[in-house]
Amino acid sequence: MNVDQRNKLVSVLRAAGPAHHQAYIETDGVDPDWPVWYAGYLQEPIAEQVGLSFTKSQLVYCLMNADLEYQARGPDSDWPEFYADEIMEHCAPSATAVTDQLALYYFDGCPFCAMVRSAIDRLGISVELRSIFDDPNHRDDLLEARGRATVPVLRISSPGGEERWMPESRDIIDYLESLN
C-alpha cells in the first residue's frame, strides 16, 4: 500500500466529516443516501489530492463496502483511517503487481468463488487456490486476517512482505483484469 496515498486519503475523509455533519443536521438527522453524498463530495478531492480516480458509482460502492466492514470489524476504530485502509485495500492499484504472489481463498460450490476462478482461468494468471474446507489452516488464516471466513478473498503478498486481503468477487475480478 502506498502509505502517502493512504495518509492523504485519511485527511480527505476526515475533512469531509464536518461537511457531512452539517448536511445531516439540515435533513433532521436522516440521511439514508449518505454514500451518494460522500461520493459526490469526495470524488474530486480524492482524484486531485490522493491521485485515485473513481466514478461516482465506484466510490459509492467502495464507501458502502467500507461501512459494512467497519460495522463488522471496527466500530470502535477511527472511521477515516478504517475507511482509507478499506478503500486502499480494495480499490487502489498495487505498486508491485508484477511480482505479487496471489492466493485465492475459496470453497467449491460458492458461485462467487466460481466466477473468480473462471476469470483466473480466462486470464491465465497464476493464483494459488486455497480451499478453506479442504485445509482448515487456510480457513484459520482467513479468520485471523479478516475476522470471518467469507469467501472469495484474494490474498496479495508483495515482495516486501506487505499483504492485502481483497474480498468481493467483482473487486477481485477487476483487480485481476487490471494485471493483464
Side-chain angles (χ1 to χ4, degrees), residues 126-138:
S126 177
V127 178
E128 180 184 350
L129 299 177
R130 297 182 177 179
S131 171
I132 63 168
F133 290 147
D134 291 346
D135 186 338
N137 291 325
H138 296 323

Side-chain angles (χ1 to χ4, degrees), residues 13 22 26 30 34 41 46 48 50-51 56 58 67 85 97 99 102 113 115 118 123 130 135 149 155 160 162 170-171:
L13 290 168
Q22 185 60 41
E26 293 171 8
V30 177
W34 68 266
Y41 189 88
I46 288 175
E48 291 176 359
V50 183
K56 189 173 180 181
Q58 288 171 324
D67 189 60
D85 290 340
T99 56
L102 306 175
C113 299
M115 287 184 346
S118 176
L123 297 167
R130 297 182 177 179
D135 186 338
R155 181 180 183 175
E162 180 184 335
R170 187 70 249 166
D171 291 344

Side-chain angles (χ1 to χ4, degrees), residues 153-172:
V153 174
L154 183 67
R155 181 180 183 175
I156 306 165
S157 303
S158 66
E162 180 184 335
E163 289 187 345
R164 294 171 55 188
W165 295 80
M166 181 181 289
E168 301 298 331
S169 56
R170 187 70 249 166
D171 291 344
I172 295 168

Side-chain angles (χ1 to χ4, degrees), residues 80-148:
E81 291 196 15
F82 190 95
Y83 278 51
D85 290 340
E86 288 295 307
I87 291 169
M88 292 299 293
E89 183 173 325
H90 297 259
C91 304
S94 172
T96 58
V98 174
T99 56
D100 288 344
Q101 298 295 311
L102 306 175
L104 179 69
Y105 290 75
Y106 77 100
F107 69 83
D108 288 324
C110 165
F112 300 103
C113 299
M115 287 184 346
V116 173
R117 290 179 67 189
S118 176
I120 290 168
D121 290 342
R122 175 176 50 83
L123 297 167
I125 295 173
S126 177
V127 178
E128 180 184 350
L129 299 177
R130 297 182 177 179
S131 171
I132 63 168
F133 290 147
D134 291 346
D135 186 338
N137 291 325
H138 296 323
R139 184 178 186 280
D140 293 345
D141 290 344
L142 191 56
L143 281 171
E144 182 178 331
R146 303 223 355 105
R148 55 187 168 172

